[in-house]
């Protein structure tokens, strides 16, 4: 047992926890590895001092922070690393083959997509999988399709491809808006949607957006496929509903009504930074009255946050100042951000509110009334 | 003359000499990724060294067990302090007169301190082995707050200094005290304060940051045991000093040590000092007999080798009601970390901080600096500034703004009122410097007129009213900064490093065909010496810059020099280059006289050769003269055409500038947007205006970073926070403001070509401009001083504390 966990669900899966814990520093890297030279030095995010007191049961894992993670649950860490440990590289050509490799190696294996969260982690030896299962050779995992009511984005679709897709630009423009705020173009050419949502880092932008859009993740394992709603997927930082032998193969998104208003507002310190706080909003208006409103927040807790109550408060309103203030307060109330280089918790909570307000007003101006 | 004869202007242009916007010749390789850096070096049999580092900020080491690591195939050695003691290298002297552990000797004093050095066949194995070295620590109380360093019950950080009441710079008052440095007249200053109409007092902190060059510190050491010769390739801003230090420490004779600094990817002060990595690589190569490479990673660079600043400055100004300043008092608490490893000239424990009177005519001033130990990394280097000059400039520029606020005067007007006047130069400051030249009023007026200063103030006033009426959530700040630097260390009468006077040198050889090889004791890390040095020579001896090769960094071939930092290259080596060139021109004149069969006094210099006075058709070009120097020199004259000059400057140089920053701040997010940034620099004679502009852009970008968020932070346990580029703010082109640059020219009267140095001015002047802009924005809400760095959350916090969030 190396760490207390937040929920019973997590405790029930101790072995998975052990693997995930090695990865707490997931996105804490400072620069992206060049895809063609994956093992150049990536420099460590912060000095890791690992003798931090473990959180008591039920206490939030807020010290995980995100990206600014400086504490590491477990034994004291005396070394610093920028070079990965040894591993075996697999490149299956089908999902079934990939799943079989995961099944045979259990915790020791990890899927590899764009590698822009995983490889930096490995360089820091925050993750030390003995088997890397590269999903890049699986043709089935590419592509975006539309069946009229649902858009399905296959897991290996890159963030750049999300930006370039005409279909998404037309029917789900908020995806493009959000993807443009991820990291920088080099990272987006390689980083995938599947990796971004499967990673479990509350700093990733896509998870909250997927919650806002009420997307479902398709998880494929040895027993076949199951759909898990994005709103139920995230348990704690780096703890998700994904089992170690499962692969996230696709994301299914219900198409919002034509004429919906949308906005993703992200406050960050600089290009390539994760959010200090960010808010995703999708709403519809009818004669100035909100008929539907969905809100989610990024990086202000150890998971993305679906702000259900805030959305409900606004539904039926005319987005008048008093109601917006109530909704913002409701959204702020569910945040539990870490204090880190982006600012103290209080600031980040307030910024979630400010981002929400900005997103609401921009979404409203975009919505057909 | 026929049409084919080039005109004088054409001949001048062909030289690409001083004043020409010559493109940087080094960029041909840099922009193609063809630079040759230390880490590009691959020698046969080369192995790698890497450090086991301390996770604790303060702890005793009770055990180091490397047996498991040594069992790993490919591991060659694991060095500890015990091993280094055998060669008397467990500790090394610092430039500041202290001693520093090379590898932890019984205890650690800061997180990430070097504990053991693992040598292995490759980097992967070295990293695997690091995790197998078992170190046992016994934690000690951690001291991170310099204000608590001298508490009676503060933990003893340096038992090795037990009972030492005398330090390198005088008496020590406490076990964690390093030095007190006092300058100026205390009594006179006290008197000024007693008689003052108005006084201000403020604690102005300049936080800890880091030079963070993109290339980290690194070296390859190769000991040839047969010849007894050691070669070290390294990222050295001062290769000759490194060789001298290596010789003194290792007892290998200096001529048998070859120090080579290849291309360097930025230094900014980070690469002046000597680090444990260099010593360990050298020892490891001596032990193993094969070349050993050591390359720092980013985290190691940011958290161990050379922080900058960490000065806590209490400034007081005495003034009359009309704004005339009458006295300045500054006390500095200097946080030096676990060892005093500041890279200052030996006799200057706080560098040239006594430039803190700035551009103003203070009749009386007093300065006292206390250096203390804390459980933080050592360093205290001059991050793109002359020694502690940027701290001083920040201190006085903030303090002048605070005084203006108290007097209800415009900060620009207050400065104008107190500037040293142009007729006062050479000006003797109350803290002991002789400013060489300046015309501050002209520069300030030009800056204010160009940016439309009065109009901006009117706009600001209107915005403040609108804010109070609740019509906007944005406030506006105008940052004024007028800095005077002191660079070009320096005159042997006050500057040395470990006893070596801070001269610099140039050696120039003209070949028979009229091309030139020249070598200097400096070392470019991005400053463009290969371009500008050739321009000085071109103008001085009339040979096109394109035909002049500049080489630096190899101690076997270059003349001895003290290196490149503190904006000293142009003031010192630049002068040596001009003087060596003039020796060549003098000899060329004698040769030309012989060739033209006239007296040398009948000749005059004309762009690229000598001509007979009154008969310009009778002329010899430098090319012809060079040939003659080797082919048929005048009887009795030594053949050849070369010269060496070692230049000991008579004084420092004092570049100055007026910077103005216009900023808009969203009080609800704390996000600050720089609307305009205008930088007027006066660096004396301008050698290459394009390089100056590039240097100013780079330095302003660093100033922007430092003022707006770049910081090395520690928590109470001594954990260093944010030692990665995710948290350590390095702006990209997206965040960086647009820079408007301008200039005036006030040559240095004592420098052979009148040049003063410019590389660091923008960092020195930029930080106060940004910080004053933020502070200026909040003044109308009742704020006096907001500490740096001004990242969004801190600005938001300031706004909140001032009640701006309603
Ligand atoms: C400098 C930098 C800045 C960044 N900034 C941002 C930002 O602002 N916002 C943002 O959202 N992201 C940011 N990222 C992260 C980036 O978007 C990553 O690409 C993304 O988080 C992971 O996607 P990937 O394809 O690279 O996944 P990988 O790194 O390959 O994998 C990430 C994790 O998910 C698992 N995984 C991957 N694919 C699957 C799958 N199909 N099924 C199951 N498990 C899987 C892996 O095993 C691993 O644990 C940044 C990255 C860098 C390097």
């Amino acid at each position: 047992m190396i760490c207390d966990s937040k929920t019973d669900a997590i405790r029930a899966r101790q072995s998975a926890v052990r693997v995930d814990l090695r990865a707490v520093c997931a996105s804490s890297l400072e620069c992206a590895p060049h895809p063609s030279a994956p093992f150049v030095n990536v420099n460590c995010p912060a000095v890791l001092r690992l003798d931090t007191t473990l959180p008591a049961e039920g206490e939030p894992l807020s010290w995980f922070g995100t990206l600014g993670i400086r504490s590491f649950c477990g034994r004291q860490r005396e070394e610093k690393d920028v070079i990965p440990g040894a591993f075996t590289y697999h490149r299956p050509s089908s999902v079934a083959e990939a799943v079989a490799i995961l099944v045979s190696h259990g915790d020791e294996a990890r899927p590899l997509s764009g590698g822009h969260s995983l490889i930096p982690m490995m360089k820091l030896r925050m993750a030390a999988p003995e088997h890397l299962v590269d999903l890049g050779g699986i043709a089935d995992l590419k592509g975006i399709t539309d069946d009229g009511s649902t858009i399905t984005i296959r897991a290996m679709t890159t963030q750049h491809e999300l930006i370039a897709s005409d279909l998404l630009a037309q029917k789900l423009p908020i995806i493009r808006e959000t993807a443009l705020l991820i990291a920088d173009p080099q990272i987006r050419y390689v980083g995938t949607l599947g990796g971004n949502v499967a990673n479990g880092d509350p700093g990733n932008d896509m998870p909250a957006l997927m919650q806002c859009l009420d997307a479902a993740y398709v998880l494929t394992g040895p027993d076949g496929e199951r759909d898990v709603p994005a709103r139920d997927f995230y348990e704690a930082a780096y703890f998700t509903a994904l089992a170690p032998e499962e692969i996230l193969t696709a994301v299914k998104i219900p198409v919002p009504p034509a004429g919906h208003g949308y906005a993703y507002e992200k406050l960050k310190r600089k290009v390539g930074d994760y959010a200090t706080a960010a808010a995703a909003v999708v709403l519809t208006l009818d004669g100035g009255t909100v008929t539907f409103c969905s809100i989610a927040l990024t990086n202000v807790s150890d998971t993305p946050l679906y702000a259900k109550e805030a959305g409900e408060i606004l539904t039926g309103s005319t987005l008048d100042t008093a109601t917006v203030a109530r909704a913002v307060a409701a959204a702020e109330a569910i945040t539990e951000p870490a204090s880190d280089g982006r600012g103290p918790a209080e600031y980040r909570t307030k910024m979630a509110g400010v981002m929400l307000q900005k997103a609401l007003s921009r979404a409203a101006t975009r919505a057909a009334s | 003359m026929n049409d084919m004869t080039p005109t004088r202007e054409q001949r001048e242009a062909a030289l690409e000499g001083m004043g020409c916007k010559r493109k940087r010749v080094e960029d041909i390789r840099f922009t193609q990724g063809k630079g040759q850096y230390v880490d590009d070096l691959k020698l046969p049999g080369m192995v790698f060294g890497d450090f086991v580092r301390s996770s604790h900020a303060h702890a005793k080491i009770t055990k180091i067990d490397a047996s498991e690591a040594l069992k790993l195939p490919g591991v060659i050695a694991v060095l500890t302090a015990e091993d280094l003691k055998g060669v008397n290298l467990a500790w090394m002297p610092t430039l500041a007169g202290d001693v520093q552990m090379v590898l932890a000797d019984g205890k650690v004093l800061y997180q990430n301190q070097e504990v053991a050095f693992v040598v292995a066949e490759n980097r992967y194995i070295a990293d695997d082995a690091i995790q197998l070295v078992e170190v046992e620590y016994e934690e000690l109380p951690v001291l991170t707050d310099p204000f608590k360093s001298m508490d009676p019950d503060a933990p003893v950080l340096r038992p090795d200094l037990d009972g030492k009441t005398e330090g390198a710079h005088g008496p020590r008052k406490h076990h964690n005290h390093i030095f007190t440095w006092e300058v100026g007249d205390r009594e006179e200053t006290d008197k000024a304060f007693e008689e003052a109409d108005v006084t201000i007092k403020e604690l102005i902190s300049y936080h800890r940051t880091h030079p963070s060059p993109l290339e980290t510190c690194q070296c390859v050491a190769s000991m040839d045991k047969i010849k007894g010769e050691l070669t070290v390739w390294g990222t050295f801003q001062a290769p000759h000093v490194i060789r001298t230090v290596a010789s003194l420490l290792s007892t290998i004779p200096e001529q048998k040590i070859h120090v080579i600094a290849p291309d360097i990817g930025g230094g900014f002060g980070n690469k002046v000092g000597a680090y444990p990595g260099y010593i360990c690589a050298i020892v490891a190569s001596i032990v193993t007999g094969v070349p050993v490479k050591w390359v720092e990673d980013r985290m190691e660079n940011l958290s161990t080798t050379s922080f900058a600043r960490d000065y806590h400055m209490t400034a007081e100004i005495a003034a009359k009601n009309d704004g005339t300043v009458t006295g300045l008092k500054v006390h500095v608490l200097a946080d030096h970390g676990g060892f005093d490893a500041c890279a200052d000239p030996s006799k200057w424990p706080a560098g040239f901080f006594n430039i803190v009177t700035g551009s103003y005519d203070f009749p009386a001033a007093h300065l006292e600096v206390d250096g203390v130990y804390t459980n933080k990394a050592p360093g205290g280097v001059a991050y793109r500034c002359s020694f502690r000059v940027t701290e001083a400039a920040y201190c006085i520029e903030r303090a002048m703004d605070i005084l203006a606020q108290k007097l209800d005067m415009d900060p620009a007007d207050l400065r104008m009122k107190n500037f040293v006047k142009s007729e006062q130069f050479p000006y003797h400051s109350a803290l002991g410097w002789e400013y060489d030249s300046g015309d501050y009023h002209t520069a300030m007026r030009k800056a204010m007129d160009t940016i439309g200063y009065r109009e901006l103030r009117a706009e600001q006033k209107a915005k403040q009213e609108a804010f109070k009426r609740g019509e906007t959530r944005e406030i506006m700040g105008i940052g004024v900064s007028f800095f005077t630097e002191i660079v070009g260390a320096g005159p042997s009468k006050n500057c040395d490093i470990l006893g070596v006077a801070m001269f610099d040198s140039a050696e120039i050889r003209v070949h028979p065909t009229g091309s030139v090889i020249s070598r200097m004791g400096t070392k470019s890390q991005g400053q463009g010496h290969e371009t500008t040095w050739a321009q000085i020579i071109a103008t001085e001896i009339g040979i096109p810059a394109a035909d002049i090769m500049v080489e630096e960094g190899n101690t076997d071939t270059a003349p001895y020099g003290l290196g490149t930092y503190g904006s000293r290259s142009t003031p010192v080596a630049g002068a040596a280059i001009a003087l060596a060139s003039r020796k060549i021109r003098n000899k060329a004149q004698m040769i030309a006289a012989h060739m033209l069969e006239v007296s040398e006094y009948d000749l005059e210099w004309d762009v690229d050769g000598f001509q007979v006075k009154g008969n310009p058709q009778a002329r010899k070009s430098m090319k012809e003269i060079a040939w003659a120097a080797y082919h048929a020199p005048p009887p009795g004259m030594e053949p050849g055409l070369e010269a060496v000059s070692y230049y000991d400057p008579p004084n420092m140089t004092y570049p100055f500038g007026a910077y103005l920053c216009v900023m808009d701040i969203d009080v609800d997010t704390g996000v600050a947007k720089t609307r305009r940034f205008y930088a007027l620099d006066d660096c004396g004679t301008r050698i290459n205006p394009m390089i100056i502009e590039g240097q100013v852009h780079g330095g302003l970008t660093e100033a922007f970073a430092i003022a707006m968020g770049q910081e090395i932070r520690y928590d109470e346990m001594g954990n260093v926070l944010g030692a990665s580029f995710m948290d350590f703010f390095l702006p990209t082109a997206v965040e960086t403001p647009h820079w408007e640059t301008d200039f005036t020219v006030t040559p240095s009267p004592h420098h052979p070509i009148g040049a003063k140095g410019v590389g660091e001015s923008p960092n020195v002047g930029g930080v106060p401009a940004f910080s004053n802009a933020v502070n200026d924005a909040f003044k109308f809400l009742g704020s006096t001083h907001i500490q740096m760095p001004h990242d969004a959350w801190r600005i938001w916090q300031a706004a909140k504390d001032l009640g701006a969030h309603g």
Side-chain angles (χ1 to χ4, degrees), chain A residues 27 29-30 39 41 43-47 49 51 68 70 76-85 125 267 269-274 340-344 346-347 350-351 354-355 358, chain B residues 50-51 53 55-56 111-112 123-124 127-128 130-131 135 137 139 297-300 666 668-669 671 713 717 719-727 729-730 732 734-735 792-793 796 800:
Chain A
S27 31
L29 74 166
E30 67 162 20
F39 302 124
N41 270 15
N43 299 301
C44 184
V47 176
R49 169 89 184 234
D51 56 347
R70 306 194 170 84
Q76 177 143 323
R77 197 185 138 81
E78 271 141 30
E79 65 288 277
K80 53 88 214 162
D81 304 291
V82 290
I83 287 179
R125 301 203 188 198
L267 179 65
R269 294 171 297 181
K270 61 177 270 194
V271 160
D273 193 15
Y274 293 84
D340 68 10
R342 295 175 180 79
E346 185 201 1
Y347 173 66
K350 285 290 165 204
M351 290 311 104
V354 175
M355 291 304 113
K358 290 190 183 213
Chain B
D50 204 350
F51 284 109
R53 293 182 179 273
S55 52
H56 293 274
Q111 193 180 52
N112 276 355
R123 283 181 184 161
Y124 292 88
D127 239 42
D128 288 344
I130 283 171
Q131 311 188 41
V135 185
Y137 298 95
E139 287 191 51
D297 65 44
R298 180 67 52 202
M299 180 196 76
E300 293 177 304
D666 175 0
D668 290 329
T669 56
V671 172
R713 266 202 303 162
M717 289 164 74
N719 294 306
V720 55
L721 307 177
S724 87
F725 282 163
M726 184 56 85
D727 279 314
F729 180 43
L730 212 63
T732 71
V734 175
E735 293 78 42
W793 76 262
W796 175 86
K800 177 169 181 256

Side-chain angles (χ1 to χ4, degrees), chain B residues 17 50 56 131 151 159 170 199 257 300 330 344 367 406 490 542 553 571 573 595 614 660 685 733 735:
Chain B
D50 204 350
H56 293 274
Q131 311 188 41
D151 283 358
T199 63
I257 300 179
E300 293 177 304
V330 180
D344 292 320
L367 162 68
K406 180 137 187 188
M595 294 166 82
L660 298 171
T685 303
E735 293 78 42

Side-chain angles (χ1 to χ4, degrees), chain A residues 61-193:
Chain A
L61 298 173
S62 61
W63 41 269
F64 273 176
T66 56
L67 324 170
I69 290 162
R70 306 194 170 84
S71 322
F72 190 80
C73 180
R75 84 200 146 83
Q76 177 143 323
R77 197 185 138 81
E78 271 141 30
E79 65 288 277
K80 53 88 214 162
D81 304 291
V82 290
I83 287 179
F87 57 85
T88 307
Y89 175 80
H90 304 265
R91 196 173 164 89
S93 54
S94 71
V95 172
E97 209 187 312
V99 168
I101 300 169
L102 291 180
V103 168
S104 63
H105 296 290
D107 294 358
E108 307 297 349
R110 288 281 281 274
L112 172 75
S113 291
H116 270 45
S117 289
L118 182 55
I119 289 177
M121 258 191 303
M122 290 170 61
K123 289 179 173 177
L124 303 170
R125 301 203 188 198
M126 296 286 104
E130 283 165 28
H131 297 269
L132 264 193
V133 186
D134 186 348
L135 306 181
I138 305 174
D140 271 2
L141 289 180
K142 279 275 189 193
I144 306 173
T145 50
D146 177 15
D147 74 0
S149 63
T150 306
I151 288 180
T152 302
I153 306 175
R154 308 287 292 163
M156 289 300 285
T157 305
T158 64
Q159 295 151 14
H160 171 73
E161 285 160 353
L162 299 178
I163 293 167
S165 160
D166 289 338
L167 174 64
L168 294 181
Q170 196 198 336
K171 295 206 162 169
L172 275 168
I174 193 170
I175 292 191
R176 181 170 198 274
E177 176 162 304
T178 307
L180 279 168
L181 293 169
I182 294 176
D184 57 50
Q186 278 119 315
I187 290 166
R188 299 195 296 253
Y189 284 130
V190 186
T192 65
L193 176 64

